[in-house]
Amino acid sequence: MLKSTFKFLGWTILGIITFLVLYLISVYLISKITVNSDVALVEEKDAVPIYILSNGVHTDIVVPIVNDIKDWRQEIQFSQTKSKDSLMEYIAFGWGDKGFYLHTPEWSDLKASTALKAAFGVSSSAMHTTFFKQLKEGEDCKRILVSKENYQKLVAFISESFLDPNHPQWIEGYSYGKKDAFYEAKGSYSLFYTCNTWANCALKAANQKASLWTVYDKGIFCHYK
């Protein structure tokens, strides 16, 4: 009986290791495959500037707060941030696991239960929004010019990611700083669909260069060097 138990544990551990190795190889290789590589260049006067922004782990999609296509102030209100500062120009959207977002402000706060729920897609999600006055391009911040038609598609994708696209539900009492807020969102985070997968899908929806599939930020940024 004991021998059978050890044998079972051995095969289980081997299976887990094999899965992790194949997962990591797939993540690296597939993320290098570019989609929409032939996207047409848009003249600045006819374009909407957006940004992809990474904190080293997580990617946000950053868009103008208001233009002739979309006024985000109708759904994401300055009054729902601590600063209530309305002199902002851009708003960043970042989808992710709700438990991780709300209860893990620092890596030291991460609990095993939160990590397991996020990894296996059994928890709910949230949208993190952050206001910016301006952004500076660099390794972790890339400016992209998109056509107005493609920007409309991006707006639709972001809006549909909220639990209630027409009236985003503010998660009161949670923020990382003075100019951000959280809202209820659709979907579940998992090993195969992360915050970066969402951002990558947003770029796909807007017909911009993106990875075929990725779960980490560099899988997006490697296509914008």
Side-chain angles (χ1 to χ4, degrees):
M1 181 68 178
L2 190 59
K3 184 177 180 180
S4 298
T5 301
F6 280 121
K7 187 176 181 180
F8 173 77
L9 288 174
W11 280 110
T12 301
I13 293 171
L14 180 61
I16 292 173
I17 292 174
T18 301
F19 167 77
L20 289 175
V21 170
L22 291 174
Y23 174 79
L24 292 173
I25 291 173
S26 298
V27 164
Y28 178 78
L29 293 178
I30 298 176
S31 69
K32 298 296 183 182
I33 302 172
T34 308
V35 297
N36 298 327
S37 58
D38 58 347
V39 59
L41 295 177
V42 185
E43 294 290 334
E44 180 128 13
K45 62 182 178 64
D46 301 318
V48 177
I50 69 168
Y51 294 82
I52 48 174
L53 176 67
S54 172
N55 64 2
V57 176
H58 167 92
T59 304
D60 279 345
I61 301 293
V62 190
V63 301
I65 291 176
V66 57
N67 59 19
D68 57 352
I69 296 172
K70 178 66 177 181
D71 185 348
W72 290 103
R73 297 172 301 180
Q74 302 301 313
E75 290 96 19
I76 313 301
Q77 299 173 22
F78 297 119
S79 62
Q80 293 170 341
T81 65
K82 289 181 179 179
S83 72
K84 298 177 174 51
D85 186 352
S86 61
L87 300 177
M88 298 288 107
E89 300 291 335
Y90 295 94
I91 181 170
F93 293 92
W95 178 95
D97 179 74
K98 183 178 178 180
F100 191 92
Y101 261 153
L102 303 186
H103 305 302
T104 315
E106 302 290 343
W107 285 107
S108 58
D109 299 314
L110 180 61
K111 297 179 180 179
S113 58
T114 300
L116 287 172
K117 287 179 180 179
F120 295 102
V122 294
S123 59
S124 53
S125 61
M127 185 73 76
H128 183 224
T129 65
T130 309
F131 290 111
F132 290 94
K133 178 63 177 176
Q134 59 185 5
L135 293 98
K136 182 179 180 181
E137 283 194 90
E139 286 298 312
D140 295 327
C141 182
K142 301 295 183 181
R143 187 171 184 259
I144 306 168
L145 294 176
V146 304
S147 69
K148 292 183 178 180
E149 180 182 358
N150 283 330
Y151 182 66
Q152 288 178 325
K153 294 176 181 178
L154 178 62
V155 166
F157 178 88
I158 294 172
S159 295
E160 285 300 319
S161 297
F162 287 95
L163 191 60
D164 185 341
N166 297 316
H167 304 284
Q169 300 170 20
W170 177 35
I171 305 174
E172 192 171 356
Y174 291 92
S175 69
Y176 289 156
K178 294 183 178 181
K179 298 177 181 178
D180 67 308
F182 290 95
Y183 298 84
E184 300 287 355
K186 294 176 182 175
S188 294
Y189 187 104
S190 74
L191 285 172
F192 301 97
Y193 196 95
T194 69
C195 52
N196 297 302
T197 312
W198 178 86
N200 189 64
C201 287
L203 292 171
K204 285 183 180 180
N207 296 316
Q208 301 305 300
K209 284 191 299 182
S211 168
L212 180 61
W213 170 73
T214 190
V215 297
Y216 70 129
D217 63 334
K218 290 178 177 59
I220 296 174
F221 280 79
C222 69
H223 304 284
Y224 286 91
K225 289 183 178 179

